[in-house]
Amino acid sequence: NLLSLVEESSNELESMLKEKNIKIHVIKEGDLFITNCDKMQIKRVIMNLLGNAISYAYNDTEITVNIKTENNTIIFDAKNESAYINPALMENLFKKYVSHAAKYNKIGVGLGLYLSKQISPVSTELQTVRIPVFSSSSATKASFTVSQS
């Protein structure tokens, strides 16, 4: 169940949440079961997306996680209140050893999103797995979608 993986991940990231006084609000819709996949690998993707959402969020804000099923596709969105990510920088987010952590006074080696992107297709026997990232002037949203066959 995707919801239980999100809850487990949130619990494991509790110290980061407390340090920045961030709350996670989960909204769920529909049947949230993923079949034919490696639970631990999917959890790694969720941990990475939530960890990034927490790391780059402004202090004293809320991260909204939407999980829903739509047309045989499970959609996980983690949206935080954070600085805008320039599209030119965003193009490189999934490349190996590319990190913009220093810009935000963070530590990172640039492997999290790269590995998440690598984990996704090989961990599932599903039709499609995508991890798009969107940014606006006030928020960033990372998604994880799984289209089931």
Side-chain angles (χ1 to χ4, degrees):
N1 181 314
L2 190 59
L3 181 60
S4 65
L5 293 178
V6 171
E7 289 169 350
E8 285 175 29
S9 299
S10 296
N11 291 336
E12 291 176 32
L13 296 166
E14 187 66 31
S15 64
M16 288 177 69
L17 290 165
K18 285 183 179 179
E19 182 180 312
K20 295 185 75 172
N21 194 32
I22 294 174
K23 305 284 185 229
I24 293 183
H25 177 67
V26 178
I27 302 167
K28 58 181 176 138
E29 281 180 45
D31 182 15
L32 304 176
F33 288 93
I34 302 176
T35 57
N36 301 322
C37 67
D38 183 328
K39 175 185 168 185
M40 292 311 298
Q41 297 294 6
I42 297 298
K43 183 177 176 185
R44 285 183 185 169
V45 174
I46 293 169
M47 287 286 292
N48 183 261
L49 295 181
L50 283 180
N52 283 347
I54 296 165
S55 290
Y56 294 99
Y58 298 131
N59 290 349
D60 307 311
T61 58
E62 182 175 277
I63 294 171
T64 303
V65 174
N66 286 294
I67 313 168
K68 65 182 177 178
T69 304
E70 190 174 277
N71 299 326
N72 214 27
T73 298
I74 295 176
I75 303 165
F76 165 93
D77 290 329
K79 182 178 177 183
N80 67 359
E81 294 179 41
S82 63
Y84 174 71
I85 303 173
N86 183 303
L89 297 176
M90 206 176 307
E91 287 180 22
N92 296 315
L93 286 179
F94 292 95
K95 292 184 180 173
K96 194 174 190 179
Y97 303 120
V98 172
S99 174
H100 301 292
K103 178 179 175 184
Y104 300 98
N105 295 320
K106 308 280 182 200
I107 296 172
V109 295
L111 287 175
L113 290 175
Y114 169 79
L115 291 174
S116 291
K117 191 85 166 177
Q118 302 308 307
I119 286 169
S120 301
V122 297
S123 303
T124 64
E125 296 171 13
L126 307 173
Q127 291 177 341
T128 311
V129 179
R130 297 180 326 154
I131 307 177
V133 177
F134 305 95
S135 188
S136 71
S137 61
S138 62
T140 299
K141 178 174 79 172
S143 298
F144 172 61
T145 63
V146 179
S147 298
Q148 301 190 87
S149 50

